[in-house]
Amino acid sequence: MSSIAFQLLINGLIAGAIYALVASGFSLIYSTNKFIHFAHGAVIAFSAYVLYFLFSVLGINFGFSVVLAIAFASLLGYGIDIAVYRQLRKKKTSSVILLIASVGLLILLESLILILFGADVKTIGFIKVSKGIEFLGAIITPLQIFIIITSILLIVGLFLFMKKTKLGKAMRAVSDNKDVAEIVGISSEKIYSWSFIIGSAIAGIAAILIGLEQNLEPTMGTNLIIKGFAAAIIGGIGSVHGAVLGAFLLGIVENFGIWYLPSGYKDAIAFVLLFIFLLFRPQGILGIKRRAEK
Amino acid sequence: MMKKQNKIYLAIGIVAVVLIAAIVMFTDQNKKEDTIKIGSIGIYSGEGSAWGIAAKNGIDMAVEKINAEGGINGKNLVVDHQDDKGSATESVNAFNNLVNAKNIHIIIGTTWSSTGIPLVNLADSSKTLMISPSLGKPEFNEGSKYLFNTWPHDYLLSKDLADYVYNKGHRKVAIIGAEELWVKDQTNAFKNRFEELGGTNVIIVEPLPSEKDVGTDALKIKNADIDAIVSTTDGILVGALVAKKVAELGVDLPMYSITIDQAAITAADGAYEDMEFLTSLNPTSEFKETYKNKYGITLDIGGPSAYDATMLIAQAIEKTGSTDATILADYLANVKEYSGASGKLISDGKGGFNYDASTQVVRDGTIQEVE
Amino acid sequence: MIEAYFIHLAILVGIYLILALSLQLALGYTGLINLGHIAFFAIGAYTSALLTLNGVPFILAILLAGIVSAIFGFLLSIPTNKLKGDYLALATLAFTFVVYAVTLNWTSLTRGPLGLPGIPKPSILGLSFSSNLSFLILTIIIALAVYFIIKRIVYSPFGKVLEATRDNELATKVLGKNTFKIKFIALGTSAFFAGIAGSLYAHYITYIDPSSFTIMQLIPILCIVIIGGLASLKGTIIATIILILLPEPLRFIGFPSSIVGPMRQIIYALILLLILIYRPKGLFGMVELE
């Protein structure tokens, strides 16, 4: 493979890893709760800003700040579930209303970030730019290697969690059939909460890595969740591994695509793919046909 | 819940409260009639705000000085600053706000061409005087007799840069541009002049200003057979991102640019080190000192030119005894030369002013004079 | 001057009213969860702007803006016909993204991120509507016309069929109605009026670019329709007035203008959430969002 193609592949894997970090938490929440939690993007954005605030503004030790930021993410996700989604669930509202509510939350939180932190791009400034490491003819920085490894570990970890742990199995039970799960004694409300706690913690991890690699700006949440959501749809939204597959595919297709097209087309590639899949194959590449059609 | 009747009353009540509040606020503001009001529209937050805030400070400095010396014909000068956040839509809204809602027809702004050009027709039809302290396209001031510019045009400096780069011995360059109105102007001006001289523009990348992932653009540059890299992005941060990525890929070639500011240098995280650039920001040392003492930050693009714009307006009002935009515009059109904080401004007869540029270099992450 | 300020607000109310009423037709009366409504707004705005910038008279431009948007509405209804609930919402939302990407990248047509400046003020048969007051009169006339047309549609037998489709598509089909045709007409008509609103918007602001038509602009409209209440034209009118006027005092309390924008969005988002949780019928709604 030529070194350019290999570099593009590496770039695609880096982008894919970032999308996978977003999409995995998002799709964990979706598969358990069965609605689109757009505000996931805002959880990521807010946590990144919290890290910025703790580390770059207050000067708190980086390791501490990271842990606090992830904890914040979890708490925020959990809080959103209790304050908004649970109230709506009590009234047995449809997933469309939950979707609209999540869009409202996304806008709300992003506007809050704008007010609190302003519109300027913020840098976390923990890592100084350095020359990348050469690897089989392509260049990749240590941070980027770390991102790819972390996302792989996370995915493997999630997989093991869902398969082996009691909580994971309970989540799968609720995801497959909530009513039967309740009969067996699983409290769906508790499982919903756990999905938000864990999914948002993953969002927190995503926030740290993305913040370091791409810097922070108030609309980062919207951009990330649209890509993450596209990745999940393309790969198959019912499952976490579908989302991850879609994420890496999207990253690679985007990067190869704009080698040939002007770079403004990058998002267009994602949007068009998303649109086409939603219309013609909403269950994605891996997905099982859900009640997408009625 | 409430009866339908009551709901309607509630709704009407809310609307009434809102309207009354607005009226009260408004009549309050109109009580101060013994001041001269001007407005400003600029990038006061977000990307590009380094220039906008510098201009804002320049205006405030001028206003303070004018008022300290007794105001204009006895009246104090007051500025209404509007943030356009670098968005053309916001800029149009700000313009409507100042001109329609507040009846202010003298405005200093905007920071960039992309937010200024959309205002050309509006300014002309509403007879509003505007002076920009930092936008680069001649279409602005040449679009209406009411529009002026105290910052030299982009294409002039871009052409000079082509000569500079060529004279340094480079023949094959990559250009880092962006998909932005005035950046494209600069890119084209450089490109054409460089080719005229006999050089080759091997590759031009123009990412969207909002792009975060510029790996592929950087790769295209790495892959090209070039001996220098030119950046025409000024204060647009995506340019710094591309430069950073190019450095990450291990490319180490001489870089040249125009009108770089500190915010862009910081965003490039070291990638702009040793870059030489041309800039029209050569204020008088007196102004530089005063600014530094007053605001504690180094002067940025837009500062001295906004100061000069304010002073020019004050001079026009004083000499004509009027605040009517048409009269002021006619007066300013007849100003051939002006010695200001930016240097010696020479009118081009079309509403634009030119002055000398200087060559500077980035060392240790700061801007320094070329020795 | 105060009058100028209120005229400006009234024009915005008028434009958003047309946009909200058109969404109400699709969402409230036909049950189409069309989150992509802003795309029709954008298509109308760009069509009208491009036409008038190339010398086409305003009357023709605004009509064509509506027609072109309607065509896209018709087109969109075809593949989305079988989609239900959240997938329909998502597909229409994705449509907004696609339209955004097209306006951004088809630079030879739309000038991409550079936008279209200098859009001429309307002029009909020699009468120029360049002053804000005259533009307001034009807007009011069009808004009233749109209101009456939509009202007639909604109270007609066809309107009943729309509502039947919304409430129970299967039953409506069983009764022999071609629900695809019904949704086709509804979405196309809704898009037509959104295109008209888009044209008015473009000619008022005189500058548009792709960023004028994103998911951010969807929130106020969605809020209006939901807060006003589904299937209630009166609710839409009142909600439009309240929601456009409500954040205005913020401008005067002395908040810096960079805060006013996000505060508006926060207010809208909060009210939306509160309504969804505590009063899903909205102020005057006949039906709940489902």
Side-chain angles (χ1 to χ4, degrees):
Chain A
M1 193 191 270
S2 78
S3 74
I4 298 183
F6 192 61
Q7 179 74 57
L8 287 176
L9 181 65
I10 296 281
N11 290 351
L13 286 176
I14 298 168
I18 289 181
Y19 295 153
L21 286 167
V22 176
S24 52
F26 168 74
S27 108
L28 175 69
I29 293 175
Y30 176 81
S31 67
T32 317
N33 292 271
K34 296 282 189 282
F35 74 91
I36 306 279
H37 168 53
F38 269 120
H40 193 68
V43 172
I44 297 178
F46 225 118
S47 318
Y49 272 90
V50 164
L51 174 68
Y52 164 78
F53 182 66
L54 293 174
F55 175 69
S56 314
V57 175
L58 292 184
I60 299 178
N61 168 269
F62 187 70
F64 257 12
S65 304
V66 165
V67 170
L68 284 174
I70 297 179
F72 174 82
S74 245
L75 223 65
L76 181 59
Y78 178 64
I80 291 176
D81 181 49
I82 303 235
V84 179
Y85 298 142
R86 184 175 290 188
Q87 308 307 318
L88 289 171
R89 276 197 296 262
K90 277 198 213 155
K91 316 184 89 188
K92 306 258 191 274
T93 57
S94 71
S95 52
V96 174
I97 300 196
L98 290 162
L99 192 161
I100 295 181
S102 81
V103 172
L105 279 163
L106 175 66
I107 305 282
L108 182 95
L109 290 169
E110 278 203 350
S111 304
L112 205 55
I113 292 178
L114 253 177
I115 294 184
L116 291 174
F117 295 99
D120 308 347
V121 172
K122 306 264 190 260
T123 27
I124 301 212
F126 178 62
I127 298 180
K128 278 284 138 212
V129 95
S130 50
K131 215 173 107 171
I133 303 175
E134 179 141 354
F135 174 67
L136 298 179
I139 309 270
I140 187 168
T141 65
L143 176 62
Q144 290 161 351
I145 296 178
F146 189 67
I147 291 178
I148 296 183
I149 294 181
T150 307
S151 72
I152 295 178
L153 284 176
L154 206 62
I155 292 157
V156 170
L158 255 180
F159 178 71
L160 291 173
F161 168 76
M162 297 295 268
K163 260 242 144 77
K164 308 280 176 146
T165 67
K166 193 157 163 232
L167 183 54
K169 289 195 220 173
M171 277 188 177
R172 277 192 298 138
V174 171
S175 164
D176 283 339
N177 193 326
K178 176 185 107 159
D179 297 322
V180 171
E182 292 214 301
I183 293 176
V184 187
I186 300 177
S187 152
S188 54
E189 272 304 323
K190 251 181 74 186
I191 297 298
Y192 292 151
S193 297
W194 273 111
S195 75
F196 274 98
I197 293 176
I198 297 177
S200 307
I202 299 178
I205 298 176
I208 314 287
L209 294 172
I210 297 174
L212 287 170
E213 170 73 2
Q214 290 185 348
N215 298 335
L216 287 72
E217 46 145 8
T219 56
M220 64 191 279
T222 315
N223 302 336
L224 286 169
I225 194 60
I226 292 179
K227 292 293 181 73
F229 160 67
I233 291 281
I234 292 171
I237 196 168
S239 62
V240 172
H241 42 272
V244 169
L245 171 71
F248 280 102
L249 266 175
L250 186 63
I252 293 175
V253 170
E254 275 184 355
N255 275 278
F256 272 93
I258 55 172
W259 179 255
Y260 302 107
L261 297 168
S263 48
Y265 281 84
K266 175 180 302 174
D267 288 350
I269 296 176
F271 297 156
V272 170
L273 281 174
L274 171 65
F275 189 53
I276 293 179
F277 268 85
L278 278 173
L279 290 183
F280 301 113
R281 199 180 160 87
Q283 67 272 40
I285 294 176
L286 285 190
I288 2 83
K289 244 178 157 82
R290 223 194 51 143
R291 35 174 193 85
E293 313 188 346
K294 248 281 266 281
Chain B
M1 275 245 89
M2 280 188 280
K3 282 199 302 203
K4 265 241 171 84
Q5 271 301 52
N6 299 344
K7 272 192 273 189
I8 300 182
Y9 291 148
L10 173 66
I12 297 181
I14 295 179
V15 170
V17 165
V18 167
L19 288 181
I20 293 175
I23 294 179
V24 166
M25 306 274 185
F26 248 130
T27 42
D28 225 7
Q29 285 184 5
N30 281 340
K31 290 238 175 80
K32 317 171 196 133
E33 279 301 352
D34 54 349
T35 56
I36 298 179
K37 293 200 200 38
I38 65 174
S40 89
I41 303 177
I43 307 181
Y44 301 146
S45 67
E47 185 174 5
S49 55
W51 296 16
I53 295 189
K56 185 160 173 275
N57 292 342
I59 299 173
D60 288 340
M61 263 176 79
V63 167
E64 243 185 67
K65 181 158 194 275
I66 293 170
N67 290 343
E69 290 169 5
I72 310 176
N73 300 339
K75 294 199 194 158
N76 270 353
L77 192 55
V78 167
V79 195
D80 187 332
H81 294 294
Q82 297 280 326
D83 183 3
D84 68 18
K85 308 176 201 163
S87 145
T89 316
E90 294 286 340
S91 159
V92 172
N93 287 340
F95 184 88
N96 284 330
N97 194 335
L98 287 173
V99 172
N100 291 331
K102 299 181 181 161
N103 204 22
I104 296 178
H105 286 266
I106 305 171
I107 300 177
I108 298 181
T110 58
T111 309
W112 284 352
S113 300
S114 41
T115 43
I117 300 283
L119 299 180
V120 168
N121 287 0
L122 291 175
D124 195 55
S125 58
S126 63
K127 304 207 200 326
T128 303
L129 172 69
M130 281 190 75
I131 307 184
S132 169
S134 58
L135 75 77
K137 281 176 77 80
E139 282 86 335
F140 181 76
N141 53 277
E142 291 174 14
S144 160
K145 71 171 193 173
Y146 289 95
L147 303 179
F148 297 85
N149 197 344
T150 48
W151 177 256
H153 299 316
D154 288 338
Y155 73 87
L156 296 169
L157 213 53
S158 310
K159 276 172 73 176
D160 289 344
L161 183 67
D163 283 75
Y164 188 83
V165 171
Y166 191 84
N167 290 339
K168 282 262 166 170
H170 302 294
R171 298 289 176 267
K172 296 182 281 188
V173 300
I175 305 181
I176 302 178
E179 191 69 42
E180 168 89 8
L181 191 69
W182 49 271
V183 177
K184 279 186 107 88
D185 246 22
Q186 295 188 166
T187 306
N188 289 337
F190 176 91
K191 165 174 172 282
N192 293 337
R193 178 70 186 144
F194 196 66
E195 268 163 29
E196 217 174 277
L197 291 168
T200 322
N201 300 293
V202 176
I203 176 142
I204 305 177
V205 297
E206 290 179 309
L208 290 175
S210 56
E211 188 59 68
K212 288 275 159 275
D213 181 9
V214 293
T216 311
D217 285 320
L219 188 59
K220 289 182 186 171
I221 292 180
K222 172 173 177 189
N223 195 41
D225 174 28
I226 48 176
D227 44 54
I229 302 176
V230 169
S231 171
T232 52
T233 52
D234 294 14
I236 296 254
L237 297 180
V238 76
L241 263 182
V242 176
K244 190 169 134 174
K245 252 302 185 281
V246 166
E248 258 175 37
L249 288 177
V251 175
D252 189 14
L253 288 172
M255 272 195 81
Y256 302 92
S257 174
I258 29 177
T259 334
I260 286 290
D261 59 54
Q262 189 62 51
I265 295 173
T266 312
D269 238 338
Y272 280 160
E273 192 65 16
D274 295 330
M275 176 170 75
E276 290 174 27
F277 64 97
L278 304 181
T279 180
S280 302
L281 182 67
N282 325 301
T284 59
S285 38
E286 185 200 334
F287 185 81
K288 250 206 274 203
E289 278 307 306
T290 322
Y291 187 95
K292 183 90 189 266
N293 291 338
K294 187 169 162 66
Y295 293 105
I297 51 176
T298 17
L299 185 54
D300 218 326
I301 291 152
S305 35
Y307 181 90
D308 289 339
T310 318
M311 287 303 189
L312 276 168
I313 290 174
Q315 183 177 310
I317 297 178
E318 201 171 341
K319 291 283 188 325
T320 61
S322 156
T323 53
D324 174 73
T326 315
I327 297 180
L328 296 175
D330 286 336
Y331 174 88
L332 288 173
N334 287 321
V335 172
K336 301 275 180 280
E337 266 182 25
Y338 179 79
S339 284
S342 332
K344 179 141 170 196
L345 282 67
I346 316 264
S347 165
D348 68 359
K350 295 183 260 183
F353 286 94
N354 283 324
Y355 39 92
D356 293 331
S358 70
T359 315
Q360 310 203 335
V361 69
V362 180
R363 291 247 197 276
D364 297 324
T366 59
I367 299 174
Q368 305 193 1
E369 302 288 335
V370 162
E371 298 99 20
Chain C
M1 286 163 297
I2 303 183
E3 321 91 62
Y5 175 65
F6 283 124
I7 291 178
H8 164 73
L9 283 181
I11 294 177
L12 284 181
V13 168
I15 295 177
Y16 278 102
L17 182 61
I18 299 174
L19 196 53
L21 285 172
S22 60
L23 180 60
Q24 180 70 274
L25 182 64
L27 178 62
Y29 287 97
T30 319
L32 295 167
I33 318 275
N34 178 17
L35 292 189
H37 207 58
I38 292 293
F40 301 132
F41 190 51
I43 293 173
Y46 266 94
T47 306
S48 191
L50 287 169
L51 287 173
T52 48
L53 281 172
N54 281 298
V56 173
F58 175 73
I59 277 237
L60 210 55
I62 188 172
L63 278 172
L64 281 171
I67 293 175
V68 171
S69 290
I71 293 177
F72 278 95
F74 291 134
L75 288 174
L76 186 62
S77 75
I78 299 175
T80 56
N81 179 42
K82 289 222 167 34
L83 296 180
K84 261 282 170 178
D86 36 357
Y87 277 92
L88 178 61
L90 295 171
T92 51
L93 189 61
F95 182 61
T96 312
F97 302 153
V98 171
V99 168
Y100 173 78
V102 168
T103 52
L104 196 61
N105 287 298
W106 194 352
T107 43
S108 54
L109 181 68
T110 64
R111 285 175 32 115
L114 310 185
L116 298 173
I119 302 173
K121 292 275 180 174
S123 124
I124 302 180
L125 304 171
L127 256 160
S128 165
F129 287 85
S130 52
S131 80
N132 276 357
L133 183 59
S134 55
F135 197 93
L136 174 62
I137 297 177
L138 178 67
T139 308
I140 292 181
I141 295 176
I142 297 182
L144 280 173
V146 169
Y147 171 70
F148 282 119
I149 296 177
I150 293 186
K151 186 166 168 191
R152 285 220 64 195
I153 296 178
V154 154
Y155 285 118
S156 73
F158 183 66
K160 297 280 169 278
V161 176
L162 286 177
E163 297 197 76
T165 312
R166 172 197 69 208
D167 292 332
N168 195 330
E169 187 173 351
L170 191 55
T172 315
K173 262 200 201 149
V174 165
L175 287 172
K177 294 291 178 193
N178 181 349
T179 54
F180 166 64
K181 190 164 132 201
I182 293 166
K183 291 195 285 187
F184 178 84
I185 297 178
L187 197 56
T189 314
S190 161
F192 176 80
F193 292 119
I196 303 268
S199 165
L200 278 175
Y201 177 80
H203 290 274
Y204 178 56
I205 305 280
T206 73
Y207 172 83
I208 55 173
D209 68 356
S211 74
S212 320
F213 307 108
T214 65
I215 192 178
M216 288 294 177
Q217 283 76 23
L218 174 67
I219 295 294
I221 301 297
L222 200 56
C223 283
I224 289 175
V225 172
I226 293 180
I227 292 169
L230 292 184
S232 161
L233 297 180
K234 186 173 56 183
T236 306
I237 298 177
I238 296 185
T240 309
I241 298 176
I242 296 182
L243 283 185
I244 299 288
L245 295 185
L246 198 57
E248 287 304 308
L250 287 176
R251 259 186 235 287
F252 301 101
I253 303 186
F255 283 125
S257 59
S258 36
I259 302 261
V260 172
M263 285 236 80
R264 271 180 95 220
Q265 294 286 72
I266 290 183
I267 291 178
Y268 289 149
L270 271 176
I271 298 183
L272 178 66
L273 289 173
L274 288 171
I275 291 270
L276 284 178
I277 297 177
Y278 296 114
R279 196 175 164 70
K281 276 218 175 85
L283 289 176
F284 296 99
M286 296 286 119
V287 196
E288 266 192 39
L289 186 57
E290 206 245 303

